[in-house]
Every structure is written in structure tokens, then in C-alpha cells.
Amino acid sequence: MSESGWHDFYTLEGYIAYQQRLHPSSRGVFSDILRRIGVASKIISSKVRMAGLINVLGKQGVINVQGEEQMKLDLLANDIMKTSLKWLPSISGLASEEDGEMTIFTHTDKFDGDHYIVFFDPIDGSSNIDVNVSVGTVFSIHRCPYQSQTIGELEFLKPGCAQVAAGYVVYGSSTMFVYTTGQGVHGFTLDPEIGEFVLSHESMKIPDRCKYFSANDSHYRHWPEPTRRFADWVRYGEEPRYEKTSSRYTGSLVADIHRNLVEGGVFMYPENEDTGMGKLRLLYECAPMAMLIEQAGGMASTGKERILDIQPTHLHQRVPFIAGNKVEVKLYEKMLQGMA
Ligand code: P6P
């Protein structure tokens, strides 16, 4: 602390530069992408915070590729993310939850540095927008070793273990930017007075306690029997570990995962027994969340396999998803496989 009592602090920009210095050979290309996502997040945050005042509330009247009704803020946030990233020479392509197809930039072939592909869900949990409940942005960054002229969907379909970075922005009581590049999980809180994300949660680790159980109980009747048994065990179990476990579910993946990452707990969106399908998308929801949760000391699985090991088969692929404390995810996998 200086004489005036001033506390120095890291901004997101400064922390990215600090982490970049840990890689002397780095040219800062990758750091530029993270910084641009940080800028886009601040712009989106300003729109989310004024959603009731400017004309972004409500539905756009369009059904997106997911078969979901697009909200106006979905489209605005999608445009903000794409516009913020499309001029970076290192970006070979983008893939968004809101776009049926990926976007490929051939102009970047002239750039002689590393190339990347960025996946994102610009506003996750958008059904919460009109009722003022937290929403979020999720992003995932992969390397792209190919010339843009030659890439197609196949080059976008990489397993989560190949991600070079993952993160989310949660637009909650404050706006937080949380990311990992494989060196731990670090959280930054937006200081509206200076317009900067300030380091507030360095090296986040999920506490080893199941403080929260997060799932949409209205789907209980569609869950496979072992899934129902697991949910009952955690919620009503006699185990001391679950004596104080509470149910918390907002319908916003980012808000639910963030709460459980900070306090401890398990989130699941299991498969529907009839369809055998999950709801959440692998490439820009589950894989980035899985990288963050594993980096914070937790686990993320479909119940049958590690999320980060899944080889995607198509851009908007959906998977069953459970993430949080290792104890609960391991127990779920055993129950689902008939070993508990
Ligand atoms: P349900 C939001 O639409 C989302 O993709 C996630 O953010 C959230 O966890 C889930 O779907 C909520 O789905 O069926 O519980 O409304």
C-alpha cells in the first residue's frame, strides 16, 4: 500500500499482459483476442444493464438454428461479439449459438502469426432477460493451424481438451469476466467508475462441499432412473455431506455454474430418457465450462465420458452435462454405469 493508502490492482488488460510475459516467445496475438472479448463484454454489459430502457427487451420474432425464439438482446450481443472479433488478423473463423453456420475469414491468410477460431454463446439464458435475472456470455478459443481458404466445419470440430482458452461473463449483481488459459481460473469484476475489469478472484478453486444442487426439477420425470436416484441422493440423502445442500437453479447456465464454482456444488442438465439427448451445446457451452471447472479443481462429464474428451460431430451438437465437485460427478458416473 502506498502512503496515500492507494491499493494497486490488476486490470484484465494488465493481467493478460502479465500472463503473456510468462511466454517470452508470445507475440501477443492470443492476448489481443482475449482483450477484444473483454471489450465486447463491456459493451454487452452496458446493453444488458439498460435492457429495460432501450429497445432490446422482448422477442425478435425469429426462430434461431436452435429452434429457440431469438431475443433482441441475443442478436445485438451476437453482432457486438462478431464485430469486435472479425477484424483481428489472427481470427480464421467464428461460430456462434445464434448462427446456423460458422463464419470463415479468408483475409486472415496473409497474417503470418498463429490463427484461432472463437466459439461463443453471446447471451446465454436469454429467456431471463425480460425478467431481470442474470444472463451470461460464454466463449471458447481453439487454434486454427490451417489456411482459411481450406477450412470447413471439420476444422471447427475439435475436442474441448484442445481449447487454448475458455471463459464466461456473468451479468449479475455485478458483471464478472472469468477465464482460463490453462493456468488456473481468474475472475475480474467490472468497475463501472473506471470502465475496467479488475482482478477480484485470482486462482479460483471450487470448494469441496456440495453447497448447491442445480437442476431443472420439472424434467425429473424424463430423467433415466439412475439420474433420478442421484438427484434424490444429493437432495434428500442422509449423508452428512448433503445436510446443508440447497437447490438453486436460475435457468441460466453461466449464473448457475458461477455460483457453484464460487461456493461449491453440482449442476446438471441430464439426457432426456426418451430422446437420449441433452439440451446444452457442446462446443460453446459445455466444453468451455468444462475447461473452467476442471481448471478450478472440479469435473465435467456427460455421466459416461469426460466432456473435454468428446470428439464433436457437428457444430451445434448437444450433450448431457454434469459439472461441479469431483465427489458428486464421480458418484453420478458410478450410478449411471450401475456401479453405485
Ligand atoms: P431449461 C438457457 O436457455 C440454457 O441454454 C442454459 O443457460 C440453461 O442452463 C438451460 O438452457 C435452461 O434450460 O430447460 O431448464 O429452461
Side-chain angles (χ1 to χ4, degrees), residues 124-125 216 219 249 251-253 267 269 279-281 285:
D124 170 74
N216 185 335
H219 300 321
Y249 187 79
S252 178
L253 173 69
F267 170 96
Y269 204 107
K279 171 182 182 182
L280 300 180
R281 275 64 50 148
E285 290 178 329

PDB file of all heavy atoms in Angstrom, residues 124-125 216 219 249 251-253 267 269 279-281 285, ligand 1:
ATOM      1  N   ASP A 124     -26.270 -16.188 -22.999  1.00  0.00           N
ATOM      2  CA  ASP A 124     -26.779 -17.479 -22.544  1.00  0.00           C
ATOM      3  C   ASP A 124     -27.826 -17.229 -21.453  1.00  0.00           C
ATOM      4  O   ASP A 124     -27.625 -16.409 -20.567  1.00  0.00           O
ATOM      5  CB  ASP A 124     -25.614 -18.300 -21.972  1.00  0.00           C
ATOM      6  CG  ASP A 124     -26.117 -19.537 -21.272  1.00  0.00           C
ATOM      7  OD1 ASP A 124     -26.536 -20.471 -21.969  1.00  0.00           O
ATOM      8  OD2 ASP A 124     -26.162 -19.534 -20.031  1.00  0.00           O
ATOM      9  N   GLY A 125     -28.944 -17.919 -21.578  1.00  0.00           N
ATOM     10  CA  GLY A 125     -30.003 -17.745 -20.576  1.00  0.00           C
ATOM     11  C   GLY A 125     -30.936 -16.610 -20.939  1.00  0.00           C
ATOM     12  O   GLY A 125     -31.546 -15.966 -20.091  1.00  0.00           O
ATOM     13  N   ASN A 216     -33.080 -28.617 -13.298  1.00  0.00           N
ATOM     14  CA  ASN A 216     -34.469 -28.226 -13.519  1.00  0.00           C
ATOM     15  C   ASN A 216     -35.385 -29.391 -13.144  1.00  0.00           C
ATOM     16  O   ASN A 216     -35.562 -30.328 -13.933  1.00  0.00           O
ATOM     17  CB  ASN A 216     -34.691 -27.835 -14.977  1.00  0.00           C
ATOM     18  CG  ASN A 216     -36.111 -27.315 -15.202  1.00  0.00           C
ATOM     19  OD1 ASN A 216     -37.036 -27.661 -14.435  1.00  0.00           O
ATOM     20  ND2 ASN A 216     -36.305 -26.498 -16.218  1.00  0.00           N
ATOM     21  N   HIS A 219     -37.969 -31.472 -15.166  1.00  0.00           N
ATOM     22  CA  HIS A 219     -37.613 -32.514 -16.139  1.00  0.00           C
ATOM     23  C   HIS A 219     -37.403 -33.880 -15.454  1.00  0.00           C
ATOM     24  O   HIS A 219     -37.088 -34.874 -16.119  1.00  0.00           O
ATOM     25  CB  HIS A 219     -36.324 -32.122 -16.880  1.00  0.00           C
ATOM     26  CG  HIS A 219     -36.422 -30.819 -17.641  1.00  0.00           C
ATOM     27  ND1 HIS A 219     -37.554 -30.438 -18.339  1.00  0.00           N
ATOM     28  CD2 HIS A 219     -35.548 -29.793 -17.787  1.00  0.00           C
ATOM     29  CE1 HIS A 219     -37.358 -29.250 -18.893  1.00  0.00           C
ATOM     30  NE2 HIS A 219     -36.153 -28.825 -18.575  1.00  0.00           N
ATOM     31  N   TYR A 249     -31.394 -23.047  -8.894  1.00  0.00           N
ATOM     32  CA  TYR A 249     -31.402 -23.184 -10.354  1.00  0.00           C
ATOM     33  C   TYR A 249     -32.036 -21.940 -10.956  1.00  0.00           C
ATOM     34  O   TYR A 249     -33.164 -21.590 -10.614  1.00  0.00           O
ATOM     35  CB  TYR A 249     -32.199 -24.430 -10.766  1.00  0.00           C
ATOM     36  CG  TYR A 249     -32.137 -24.748 -12.248  1.00  0.00           C
ATOM     37  CD1 TYR A 249     -31.032 -25.390 -12.800  1.00  0.00           C
ATOM     38  CD2 TYR A 249     -33.179 -24.385 -13.106  1.00  0.00           C
ATOM     39  CE1 TYR A 249     -30.966 -25.681 -14.154  1.00  0.00           C
ATOM     40  CE2 TYR A 249     -33.114 -24.660 -14.461  1.00  0.00           C
ATOM     41  CZ  TYR A 249     -32.011 -25.310 -14.983  1.00  0.00           C
ATOM     42  OH  TYR A 249     -31.953 -25.572 -16.324  1.00  0.00           O
ATOM     43  N   GLY A 251     -31.929 -21.199 -14.435  1.00  0.00           N
ATOM     44  CA  GLY A 251     -32.249 -21.281 -15.871  1.00  0.00           C
ATOM     45  C   GLY A 251     -31.223 -20.532 -16.698  1.00  0.00           C
ATOM     46  O   GLY A 251     -31.412 -20.299 -17.883  1.00  0.00           O
ATOM     47  N   SER A 252     -30.112 -20.164 -16.058  1.00  0.00           N
ATOM     48  CA  SER A 252     -29.009 -19.507 -16.777  1.00  0.00           C
ATOM     49  C   SER A 252     -27.734 -20.266 -16.437  1.00  0.00           C
ATOM     50  O   SER A 252     -27.231 -20.199 -15.301  1.00  0.00           O
ATOM     51  CB  SER A 252     -28.900 -18.042 -16.327  1.00  0.00           C
ATOM     52  OG  SER A 252     -27.826 -17.403 -16.952  1.00  0.00           O
ATOM     53  N   LEU A 253     -27.220 -21.012 -17.418  1.00  0.00           N
ATOM     54  CA  LEU A 253     -26.040 -21.865 -17.184  1.00  0.00           C
ATOM     55  C   LEU A 253     -24.899 -21.093 -16.546  1.00  0.00           C
ATOM     56  O   LEU A 253     -24.315 -21.553 -15.552  1.00  0.00           O
ATOM     57  CB  LEU A 253     -25.574 -22.462 -18.519  1.00  0.00           C
ATOM     58  CG  LEU A 253     -24.262 -23.244 -18.499  1.00  0.00           C
ATOM     59  CD1 LEU A 253     -24.398 -24.541 -17.728  1.00  0.00           C
ATOM     60  CD2 LEU A 253     -23.769 -23.502 -19.924  1.00  0.00           C
ATOM     61  N   PHE A 267     -23.989 -28.947 -10.893  1.00  0.00           N
ATOM     62  CA  PHE A 267     -25.021 -28.537 -11.861  1.00  0.00           C
ATOM     63  C   PHE A 267     -25.212 -29.691 -12.834  1.00  0.00           C
ATOM     64  O   PHE A 267     -24.247 -30.329 -13.257  1.00  0.00           O
ATOM     65  CB  PHE A 267     -24.553 -27.299 -12.632  1.00  0.00           C
ATOM     66  CG  PHE A 267     -25.428 -26.943 -13.813  1.00  0.00           C
ATOM     67  CD1 PHE A 267     -26.437 -25.994 -13.695  1.00  0.00           C
ATOM     68  CD2 PHE A 267     -25.268 -27.568 -15.053  1.00  0.00           C
ATOM     69  CE1 PHE A 267     -27.246 -25.673 -14.779  1.00  0.00           C
ATOM     70  CE2 PHE A 267     -26.092 -27.273 -16.134  1.00  0.00           C
ATOM     71  CZ  PHE A 267     -27.077 -26.324 -15.995  1.00  0.00           C
ATOM     72  N   TYR A 269     -27.608 -30.952 -16.410  1.00  0.00           N
ATOM     73  CA  TYR A 269     -28.693 -30.930 -17.385  1.00  0.00           C
ATOM     74  C   TYR A 269     -28.622 -32.286 -18.091  1.00  0.00           C
ATOM     75  O   TYR A 269     -27.968 -32.425 -19.121  1.00  0.00           O
ATOM     76  CB  TYR A 269     -28.582 -29.777 -18.375  1.00  0.00           C
ATOM     77  CG  TYR A 269     -29.939 -29.424 -18.955  1.00  0.00           C
ATOM     78  CD1 TYR A 269     -30.600 -28.280 -18.578  1.00  0.00           C
ATOM     79  CD2 TYR A 269     -30.585 -30.285 -19.838  1.00  0.00           C
ATOM     80  CE1 TYR A 269     -31.857 -27.973 -19.080  1.00  0.00           C
ATOM     81  CE2 TYR A 269     -31.840 -30.020 -20.330  1.00  0.00           C
ATOM     82  CZ  TYR A 269     -32.483 -28.866 -19.949  1.00  0.00           C
ATOM     83  OH  TYR A 269     -33.738 -28.579 -20.426  1.00  0.00           O
ATOM     84  N   LYS A 279     -29.631 -30.945 -23.613  1.00  0.00           N
ATOM     85  CA  LYS A 279     -30.047 -29.676 -24.223  1.00  0.00           C
ATOM     86  C   LYS A 279     -28.841 -28.792 -24.520  1.00  0.00           C
ATOM     87  O   LYS A 279     -28.818 -28.102 -25.540  1.00  0.00           O
ATOM     88  CB  LYS A 279     -30.999 -28.920 -23.289  1.00  0.00           C
ATOM     89  CG  LYS A 279     -31.270 -27.501 -23.799  1.00  0.00           C
ATOM     90  CD  LYS A 279     -32.156 -26.678 -22.895  1.00  0.00           C
ATOM     91  CE  LYS A 279     -32.428 -25.309 -23.496  1.00  0.00           C
ATOM     92  NZ  LYS A 279     -33.251 -24.447 -22.624  1.00  0.00           N
ATOM     93  N   LEU A 280     -27.850 -28.818 -23.621  1.00  0.00           N
ATOM     94  CA  LEU A 280     -26.770 -27.835 -23.711  1.00  0.00           C
ATOM     95  C   LEU A 280     -25.808 -28.181 -24.853  1.00  0.00           C
ATOM     96  O   LEU A 280     -25.562 -29.354 -25.153  1.00  0.00           O
ATOM     97  CB  LEU A 280     -26.026 -27.756 -22.378  1.00  0.00           C
ATOM     98  CG  LEU A 280     -26.909 -27.346 -21.189  1.00  0.00           C
ATOM     99  CD1 LEU A 280     -26.093 -27.289 -19.909  1.00  0.00           C
ATOM    100  CD2 LEU A 280     -27.613 -26.022 -21.442  1.00  0.00           C
ATOM    101  N   ARG A 281     -25.272 -27.120 -25.475  1.00  0.00           N
ATOM    102  CA  ARG A 281     -24.444 -27.313 -26.657  1.00  0.00           C
ATOM    103  C   ARG A 281     -22.997 -27.550 -26.248  1.00  0.00           C
ATOM    104  O   ARG A 281     -22.459 -26.915 -25.348  1.00  0.00           O
ATOM    105  CB  ARG A 281     -24.535 -26.065 -27.551  1.00  0.00           C
ATOM    106  CG  ARG A 281     -25.701 -25.998 -28.512  1.00  0.00           C
ATOM    107  CD  ARG A 281     -27.104 -25.933 -27.933  1.00  0.00           C
ATOM    108  NE  ARG A 281     -27.314 -24.934 -26.915  1.00  0.00           N
ATOM    109  CZ  ARG A 281     -28.479 -24.300 -26.730  1.00  0.00           C
ATOM    110  NH1 ARG A 281     -29.501 -24.539 -27.532  1.00  0.00           N
ATOM    111  NH2 ARG A 281     -28.643 -23.430 -25.748  1.00  0.00           N
ATOM    112  N   GLU A 285     -20.893 -24.123 -24.985  1.00  0.00           N
ATOM    113  CA  GLU A 285     -21.416 -24.072 -23.616  1.00  0.00           C
ATOM    114  C   GLU A 285     -20.660 -25.090 -22.747  1.00  0.00           C
ATOM    115  O   GLU A 285     -19.916 -24.725 -21.841  1.00  0.00           O
ATOM    116  CB  GLU A 285     -22.928 -24.349 -23.586  1.00  0.00           C
ATOM    117  CG  GLU A 285     -23.760 -23.215 -24.180  1.00  0.00           C
ATOM    118  CD  GLU A 285     -25.269 -23.507 -24.207  1.00  0.00           C
ATOM    119  OE1 GLU A 285     -25.676 -24.661 -24.339  1.00  0.00           O
ATOM    120  OE2 GLU A 285     -26.034 -22.518 -24.107  1.00  0.00           O
TER     121      GLU A 285
HETATM  122  P1  P6P B   1     -34.392 -25.150 -19.050  1.00  0.00           P
HETATM  123  C1  P6P B   1     -30.653 -21.278 -21.419  1.00  0.00           C
HETATM  124  O1  P6P B   1     -31.581 -21.384 -22.490  1.00  0.00           O
HETATM  125  C2  P6P B   1     -29.888 -22.584 -21.359  1.00  0.00           C
HETATM  126  O2  P6P B   1     -29.248 -22.819 -22.569  1.00  0.00           O
HETATM  127  C3  P6P B   1     -28.896 -22.564 -20.204  1.00  0.00           C
HETATM  128  O3  P6P B   1     -28.403 -21.297 -19.948  1.00  0.00           O
HETATM  129  C4  P6P B   1     -29.711 -23.091 -19.040  1.00  0.00           C
HETATM  130  O4  P6P B   1     -28.918 -23.800 -18.108  1.00  0.00           O
HETATM  131  C5  P6P B   1     -30.721 -24.027 -19.712  1.00  0.00           C
HETATM  132  O5  P6P B   1     -30.810 -23.629 -21.076  1.00  0.00           O
HETATM  133  C6  P6P B   1     -32.084 -23.901 -19.086  1.00  0.00           C
HETATM  134  O6  P6P B   1     -32.946 -24.845 -19.711  1.00  0.00           O
HETATM  135  O7  P6P B   1     -34.915 -26.340 -19.857  1.00  0.00           O
HETATM  136  O8  P6P B   1     -34.134 -25.536 -17.605  1.00  0.00           O
HETATM  137  O9  P6P B   1     -35.196 -23.907 -19.183  1.00  0.00           O
END
